[in-house]
Amino acid sequence: MTQELSSSAQRVQEALAGFGMDLQVMELTQSTRTSAEAALAVGCDVGQIAKSLIFRARQSGQAVLVIASGRNRVDEKRVAVLLGEAIGKADADFVRAATGFVIGGVPPVGHSQPLQTLIDGDLLAYDEIWAAAGTPNALFRLAPAELVTITGGTVGEVKREA
Ligand code: 5CA
């Protein structure tokens, strides 16, 4: 059954199609704005939600994408070491400008500009994971290796230790 996607979700679907991968964006009626809501909506572990977080590199002002397991918090110091530059939090306007999407729907691909990308190594432990697809109601399922391929991201240790 084909259902029409909103324009933001459609942009993500087109970006995925451009990679030649058969990955399908699903737009739900439930909220997937947070990792917990997304996990509930698709019936997976919260650790299987690949959340796309935007930070701002302090020197260059560049946007940096960190894709983390929904179970983890990101350690900004570790990210800084991996990047070779300190980072700070991004506000909602910066996220929108850097990605073309609103917080709660930021996808791992399809951004308005290429983004330097780091991927939480914990995501690679799962057979399948879910990522946001442009809106706070849209997701797609993929394998962790596919996430690495489509983002060109660097897998590393980015989580804050409990
Ligand atoms: N769709 C879900 C699952 S993929 C999602 O996008 N979750 S998320 O965790 O990646 O997106 C919410 C994230 O946005 C939060 O973890 C937080 O890092 C960020 N965020 C939330 N509110 C703000 C805000 N006011 N300013 C900047 N960042 C924010």
Side-chain angles (χ1 to χ4, degrees):
M1 194 174 69
T2 307
Q3 221 173 326
E4 203 159 306
L5 297 172
S6 67
S7 65
S8 291
Q10 184 62 36
R11 267 192 285 146
V12 177
Q13 183 67 81
E14 282 163 14
L16 295 173
F19 294 108
M21 288 191 184
D22 186 25
L23 299 172
Q24 294 302 323
V25 170
M26 295 172 27
E27 213 156 17
L28 308 176
T29 51
Q30 304 102 296
S31 171
T32 59
R33 183 181 304 276
T34 66
S35 297
E37 287 174 333
L40 197 63
V42 299
C44 72
D45 189 278
V46 70
Q48 287 173 274
I49 301 299
K51 53 181 182 183
S52 294
L53 306 177
I54 299 294
F55 294 90
R56 186 178 177 281
R58 287 194 197 274
Q59 292 292 317
S60 63
Q62 287 296 307
V64 176
L65 172 62
V66 180
I67 306 173
S69 164
R71 198 170 268 303
N72 293 338
R73 301 208 54 194
V74 170
D75 186 330
E76 294 182 17
K77 294 204 185 79
R78 283 181 158 176
V79 172
V81 170
L82 290 167
L83 289 174
E85 185 175 357
I87 58 160
K89 293 210 161 44
D91 67 19
D93 288 342
F94 184 84
V95 172
R96 180 68 194 257
T99 67
F101 298 95
V102 295
I103 284 169
V106 176
V109 293
H111 310 123
S112 39
Q113 56 174 319
L115 298 174
Q116 185 163 8
T117 303
L118 297 176
I119 298 172
D120 181 350
D122 282 9
L123 286 169
L124 275 71
Y126 298 99
D127 289 338
E128 55 183 37
I129 57 179
W130 294 81
T135 80
N137 301 87
L139 293 171
F140 66 101
R141 183 175 58 192
L142 75 174
E146 291 174 321
L147 181 68
V148 177
T149 299
I150 64 179
T151 62
T154 303
V155 178
E157 193 66 76
V158 298
K159 72 165 177 278
R160 199 178 297 179
E161 296 296 350

